[in-house]
Amino acid sequence: MIDINDRALIKKAIDKINKLAEKIDKLKIMHVCGSHEHTICKYGIRDVLPENITVVPGPGCPVCVTTQKEIDTAIYLADNGYVITTLGDMYRVPGSEKSLMEKQSEGCDVRIVYSISEAVKMAKKERDKKFVFVAIGFETTAPTTGAELIGLKDKDVDNFFILNCHRQTPPVMEFLLNEGVYLDAFICPGHVSTITGLKPYYSLCEKYKAPMVVAGFEPIDVLMAIIMILRQVVNGEAKVENEYIRAVKPEGNVLAQKIINEVFESIDVPWRGFPVVKNGGFGLREEYKRFDIYEHEDIPEIKEKIPKGCICDKILRGEKLPTDCPLFGKVCTPLNPVGSCMVSDEGTCRIFYKYRRI
Ligand code: SF4
């Protein structure tokens, strides 16, 4: 068993990266997980990479990729008498005019919950009110939403709905490879891959000839993933590899996949910073549509207003870093976020603010 925090091992890994990089002209690697960005910033991994190897953050934070329109919809519902239940981070994301937190201070019934189950319990107890749970997240949280809806399917609960903002990660990776900025390889998300396994990456890797390595979240995991990618490039290969074998099984979490397939189907949806991503969302299947707030409430067309100067879209597409934003750390801070990337602990701007400004 290796010690993942062994300094000598880390030094050895950095030396290996430098050696392999000598045989490569230029390489741009993207990761799609806020936790990877955390590790990279916290341990200064970008600072130890050779100049020709770049690792950029992509759309890996569920709060960040939720569109302004979805936040404005939650606010519209709060204004129209619904009890909005949400995880803490979503509460602070600015909508076009206000955040859910500001709406709460104006008297709307907005409640922070730790899980969808807590929201369902509230709805069962307060039957005279209509509850909406803002369901966000990737393949990691969709099974929890799904399991709760399966449990409710045959129950007499008609005052609980979800604002479904769940999204699928591999389709946005395909979008980036196909139409996004130039990039050569992916560090695949560790958490998401515990659910999906390796299967979704094989076709992408084959089609776009892009090396893909699933990685864990210790510094040595990220360094090892970079080594594995560089090795593939040097050997003229493009394959899917799993660095995070202690958590990710090739087949993923079969039970969670079953729940997802029972409740959701793939749909095309926009992500913040992206146009519509083919199969980028999880839509509720017919049998579960009664929980979809869009089926229950006639929500008017909402036009988004993106804050002036905010470049969250470019950051989420890996085109820019937070330090390229004129508002970063001046007008936009974790206490006064202007865009979604400054709100959550998984958001690139928030992570940069936490570690890079020290
Ligand atoms: Fe948007 Fe703030 Fe990030 Fe700039 S620093 S991109 S305003 S979230």
Side-chain angles (χ1 to χ4, degrees), residues 94 272 307-315 321-333 336-343 348-350 353:
R272 189 182 292 242
K308 221 172 154 203
C310 175
I311 58 163
C312 277
D313 55 341
K314 294 189 176 63
I315 291 169
L321 290 176
T323 38
D324 297 317
C325 175
L327 309 185
F328 176 74
K330 299 173 193 133
V331 180
C332 181
T333 64
N336 181 32
V338 174
S340 63
C341 296
M342 188 56 96
V343 177
T348 303
C349 296
R350 170 104 186 221
Y353 186 90

Side-chain angles (χ1 to χ4, degrees), residues 4 99 136 145 151 165 210-211 213 246 267 278 288 293 318 335 345:
I4 50 182
S99 65
I136 64 158
T145 302
C165 312
V213 177
R246 62 189 188 278
I267 53 165
K278 194 167 167 31
Y288 295 92
I293 189 61
L335 273 182
D345 277 344

